[in-house]
Amino acid sequence: MASIHEHTYYDNLNKWTANKVDAVVVVVDYQVAPQYKFPVATYDVFAAVKRFLQDDILTKYGVDPTQICISGDSAGGALATLVTQQMINIPEMKNKIKTQALIYPYLQTVDVTTPSTKENEHGPLLSMEMAIKMGCKYLTTDEVCPKIFRTNQHMPQGSRHLFRLVNWSIFLPEQFKKNNVYTEPLTGRFDPSYAGLTDIMLSPLLANDTQLQNLPLTYILTCQHDILRDHELTYVTRLQNVGVQVVHDHIEDRIHAAIVYMGSLFYLYLGITLKDKYISWLEENL
Ligand SMILES: *[C@@H]1O[C@H](CO)[C@@H](O)[C@H](O)[C@H]1NC(C)=O
Ligand SMILES: *[C@@H]1O[C@H](CO)[C@@H](O)[C@H](O)[C@H]1NC(C)=O
């Protein structure tokens, strides 16, 4: 199993996972922003996973090549998602990924005005402002970036045809749309030189149906109080539409990044259900 994430809070989770699931857990220590910008992290993760899934390496670590899971949460969930998308298009790799486990992954940078972003704009843990600042640091040194994102005017000219792939109004189940009215992002308002805004390596939701249809069994965990919730609900629908087997756990009273807090006493309760769900799913499927 390869697990993808960004910092040491996760050590406990990974140790726990290794013991509980009796798995080899590989953690990719990818290079992070602001020092390393898009797409450095994606290359790091891609290279590490590709290397680890070579037959000789799997044998060396005693890993059963039919029992591989790619996993990650939040930004790491984006990397897990895109690396799985890429891997299935490499013939000698495609049979090796049995499943992907995505914990509230970040999946698109196209539209920042989904219902879940509006509902959870001020957090609690991940606010819209934080997400935009982190996203901009990953993309550019241009200080105007957050301002353009806040107004949903960051997409480059000529990218409108991509909107249907992330259009929440098409893909969200009714109960999550509530009374929100879809408004499309505005294009061509700023310097189109920001790398990646139309790239599936930044927004895995931009993969088209053909690119999604051969994905392996997918586990997606979403939290109600999370600005990213609609990214994931959109992915669930898009995967189901092309016949990918999806197991979706939606947790009503949980917030983004709750799994990270399972180590601290105060948040123990918040993290524990998520961890239990994630681990028991791995136990059953690996
Ligand atoms: C988004 O979806 C709605 C239907 O729910 C449609 O009316 C609208 O044209 C779509 N917009 C884009 C840009 O895909
Ligand atoms: C999907 O994307 C791939 C890769 O960019 C492209 O080759 C293919 O033609 C696209 N398929 C459709 C149906 O748009």
Side-chain angles (χ1 to χ4, degrees), residues 23-197:
V24 174
V25 178
V26 179
V27 176
V28 183
D29 190 13
Y30 56 87
Q31 300 171 96
V32 296
Q35 197 178 353
Y36 297 95
K37 303 215 178 288
F38 176 82
V40 171
T42 69
Y43 291 159
D44 285 351
V45 168
F46 191 55
V49 172
K50 205 170 159 191
R51 179 82 188 105
F52 189 77
L53 295 188
Q54 300 297 320
D55 291 327
D56 55 333
I57 304 287
L58 292 176
T59 306
K60 184 173 158 192
Y61 289 94
V63 174
D64 179 347
T66 67
Q67 298 290 315
I68 308 283
C69 172
I70 304 280
S71 177
D73 84 320
S74 201
L79 295 167
T81 305
L82 67 90
V83 86
T84 308
Q85 287 180 355
Q86 299 293 307
M87 285 295 161
I88 58 166
N89 294 317
I90 304 176
E92 68 274 22
M93 296 288 169
K94 85 172 170 208
N95 296 324
K96 290 214 178 102
I97 298 175
K98 182 178 187 189
T99 179
Q100 57 177 342
L102 310 172
I103 315 296
Y104 38 76
Y106 181 96
L107 295 176
Q108 60 97 357
T109 307
V110 175
D111 182 0
V112 304
T113 62
T114 73
S116 64
T117 28
K118 285 180 195 151
E119 283 164 33
N120 304 289
E121 192 177 343
H122 303 295
L125 280 176
L126 179 67
S127 69
M128 197 55 211
E129 195 55 29
M130 278 162 69
I132 285 176
K133 282 192 176 141
M134 288 191 289
C136 282
K137 277 190 187 152
Y138 184 43
L139 281 176
T140 177
T141 50
D142 186 347
E143 305 220 324
V144 82
C145 178
K147 190 171 156 228
I148 293 159
F149 267 85
R150 267 179 227 125
T151 51
N152 220 24
Q153 304 190 7
H154 52 282
M155 290 302 286
Q157 201 147 28
S159 62
R160 188 171 177 269
H161 65 287
L162 298 172
F163 297 170
R164 67 181 174 82
L165 299 167
V166 306
N167 185 335
W168 60 262
S169 163
I170 300 173
F171 298 113
L172 276 196
E174 285 306 322
Q175 84 240 45
F176 296 100
K177 291 188 192 173
K178 302 221 176 115
N179 297 323
N180 291 284
V181 176
Y182 177 82
T183 49
E184 54 180 273
L186 294 171
T187 60
R189 297 299 167 101
F190 82 113
D191 180 3
S193 66
Y194 292 24
L197 287 172

